[in-house]
Amino acid sequence: MSFEKNVRRVEPYVAGEQPGDKDIIKLNTNECPYPPSPEVLKAAGELSLERLRLYPDMNARKLVDALARYCQVPSSRIFAGVGSDDVLSLAFMTFFNSDKPVLFPDVTYSFYEVWARLHGISYELCPLDESFRIRKEDYLRPNGGIIFPNPNAPTGILESADTIEEIVRENPDSVVIIDEAYIDFGGRSVMELTDRYENLLVVQTFSKSRSLAGMRIGFAVGSEKLIGYLKDVKFSFNSYTLNLPSIELGAAAVSDDAYFRETVNKIIRTRRRAARELSGLGFSLTDSMGNFLFASHETVPASELFAALRSSGIYVRYWNRPRIDNCLRITVGTDGQMDRLVEFLKKYLSDRRKKND
């Protein structure tokens, strides 16, 4: 058809499956296995339906102010959006407009390539080393911007704050975005560096450690100048991005720091235990600092294990992509869910060995 010549075509990001069967053990999308804070439930009960007929606060001030107190920065240095994906896409649109390529790792969050193609942004992939670590020198050259997650996804590898600071310091003419979706599970945020570096943007999400993936809340912390530019782009096409329930319930989640820390610590304990048990079954694992494990087996292909787990009602994540096509990313679930995973793998591997003997 003639109109199709004017259609923008991109290869979209492929998210993990969202099965409708409640009996599925869902360890494929890095959601939190625990419910949100009781304060969230309380706030939901107090939300007046009458208020839903009105537009929400376009500046999401209640949520932004709560985050400002929590992060100990002025509200003018915080930007809230519809999940960190919305914030990151806006950041691509706002800051990556150079004729030089944007730099990010070859093994990382695959949405970066999608956004770059969608917005017509030139980019280059910087290969991680054999241990899946960033090679700092790859980012100390002319570029149109830099972005990478810390901890990285899907590997879970955490880079030091000193490494990140050097990259930011040596790129004063580029915006450096650090995607901290998983920072709460074992890392140190570099948010404090935004006090000293005007070109640094740090992005976080409520989808993982705050158990609110369904509410779609993300935010960025940066200099007033960067946040101002983000707001200009946002208000150029949609002033009312965050809905009222997200603003109210997000603020309630931030208020309950004790519950947040309890949830994070439970996931960290389960991650460590599950890593030990998988290692005992012949898996090699990265030192993941996320709410997931990144594992490959010494003898059994990841594609085979992925299919076997799926047929048993346990969903994990697998990519048929270079360098990681023999790895599985396994979300850390509850202790009971991880026990089911380990029990299945133990039996499957044992039966497979007997069959091949």
Side-chain angles (χ1 to χ4, degrees):
M1 294 183 182
S2 59
F3 70 83
E4 291 186 321
K5 67 179 182 295
N6 298 317
V7 173
R8 176 175 293 177
R9 300 187 185 186
V10 293
E11 184 178 339
Y13 171 76
V14 179
E17 292 180 79
Q18 294 285 355
D21 188 344
K22 293 182 179 180
D23 293 329
I24 295 294
I25 295 179
K26 193 170 179 297
L27 306 176
N28 64 331
T29 49
N30 293 347
E31 294 145 322
C32 183
Y34 302 107
S37 157
E39 292 299 316
V40 172
L41 180 61
K42 179 181 176 183
E46 295 173 351
L47 188 61
S48 169
L49 292 179
E50 168 65 15
R51 294 177 64 191
L52 296 182
R53 70 180 180 82
L54 303 173
Y55 283 114
D57 174 12
M58 61 190 291
N59 290 298
R61 281 171 293 191
K62 185 170 184 176
L63 174 60
V64 167
D65 288 347
L67 285 167
R69 290 190 295 271
Y70 182 81
C71 299
Q72 299 183 333
V73 298
S75 296
S76 58
R77 288 178 48 199
I78 291 182
F79 176 90
V82 186
S84 60
D85 287 338
D86 175 54
V87 177
L88 289 167
S89 181
L90 279 169
F92 268 66
M93 195 187 311
T94 305
F95 303 120
F96 295 163
N97 294 291
S98 168
D99 56 358
K100 300 182 181 70
V102 171
L103 307 177
F104 47 86
D106 64 333
V107 179
T108 194
Y109 188 29
S110 54
F111 230 142
Y112 299 158
E113 286 192 73
V114 175
W115 287 320
R117 292 193 298 267
L118 177 64
H119 298 308
I121 297 167
S122 173
Y123 67 94
E124 287 185 16
L125 303 180
C126 300
L128 299 176
D129 67 18
E130 293 182 358
S131 300
F132 290 123
R133 303 201 73 92
I134 280 176
R135 294 189 288 206
K136 181 176 58 181
E137 59 272 17
D138 289 343
Y139 300 89
L140 305 182
R141 58 187 173 94
N143 63 78
I146 294 169
I147 182 169
F148 56 85
N150 196 47
N152 196 9
T155 65
I157 298 294
L158 179 76
E159 302 295 342
S160 72
D162 289 342
T163 294
I164 292 173
E165 181 169 13
E166 182 174 353
I167 291 172
V168 175
R169 185 178 63 243
E170 296 302 316
N171 286 281
D173 297 326
S174 300
V175 173
V176 179
I177 302 175
I178 306 300
D179 180 355
E180 292 189 337
Y182 302 100
I183 196 65
D184 296 322
F185 300 103
R188 170 189 163 196
S189 174
V190 294
M191 205 175 283
E192 64 184 24
L193 296 181
T194 62
D195 294 338
R196 305 199 295 275
Y197 298 99
E198 204 171 42
N199 62 320
L200 172 63
L201 191 74
V202 177
V203 179
Q204 293 191 8
T205 178
F206 282 44
S207 296
K208 317 300 180 184
S209 55
R210 297 191 186 276
S211 311
L212 286 175
M215 295 304 299
R216 310 307 299 128
I217 305 170
F219 68 100
V221 177
S223 64
E224 285 193 24
K225 184 175 289 188
L226 289 189
I227 298 304
Y229 287 139
L230 270 177
K231 287 181 178 179
D232 287 345
V233 171
K234 169 192 172 183
F235 293 145
S236 295
F237 69 91
N238 187 354
S239 298
Y240 303 106
T241 52
L242 269 173
N243 62 54
L244 176 63
S246 292
I247 294 170
E248 294 288 335
L249 304 192
V254 175
S255 73
D256 196 349
D257 193 53
Y259 184 87
F260 159 73
R261 295 187 184 281
E262 178 188 352
T263 299
V264 166
N265 287 333
K266 282 196 291 189
I267 291 170
I268 291 172
R269 287 194 297 269
T270 303
R271 181 187 70 203
R272 290 171 177 164
R273 180 177 68 84
R276 288 194 301 268
E277 292 176 336
L278 289 175
S279 180
L281 294 177
F283 284 88
S284 296
L285 301 97
T286 60
D287 184 18
S288 174
M289 290 292 110
N291 66 337
F292 56 87
L293 299 168
F294 193 61
S296 60
H297 195 265
E298 57 190 13
T299 59
V300 186
S303 57
E304 178 185 331
L305 290 172
F306 169 76
L309 284 162
R310 192 179 188 284
S311 67
S312 72
I314 302 174
Y315 282 37
V316 298
R317 199 81 152 99
Y318 169 72
W319 293 272
N320 186 16
R321 298 183 61 176
R323 301 193 67 187
I324 59 171
D325 60 347
N326 198 37
C327 299
L328 298 175
R329 192 197 68 191
I330 305 167
T331 302
V332 176
T334 64
D335 283 328
Q337 289 173 326
M338 300 311 284
D339 287 344
R340 285 271 306 275
L341 171 82
V342 171
E343 288 167 8
F344 173 82
L345 289 171
K346 188 179 296 183
K347 184 177 187 306
Y348 181 83
L349 294 170
S350 175
D351 291 348
R352 191 179 188 275
R353 279 194 299 270
K354 292 175 183 175
K355 182 180 178 180
N356 293 333
D357 285 345

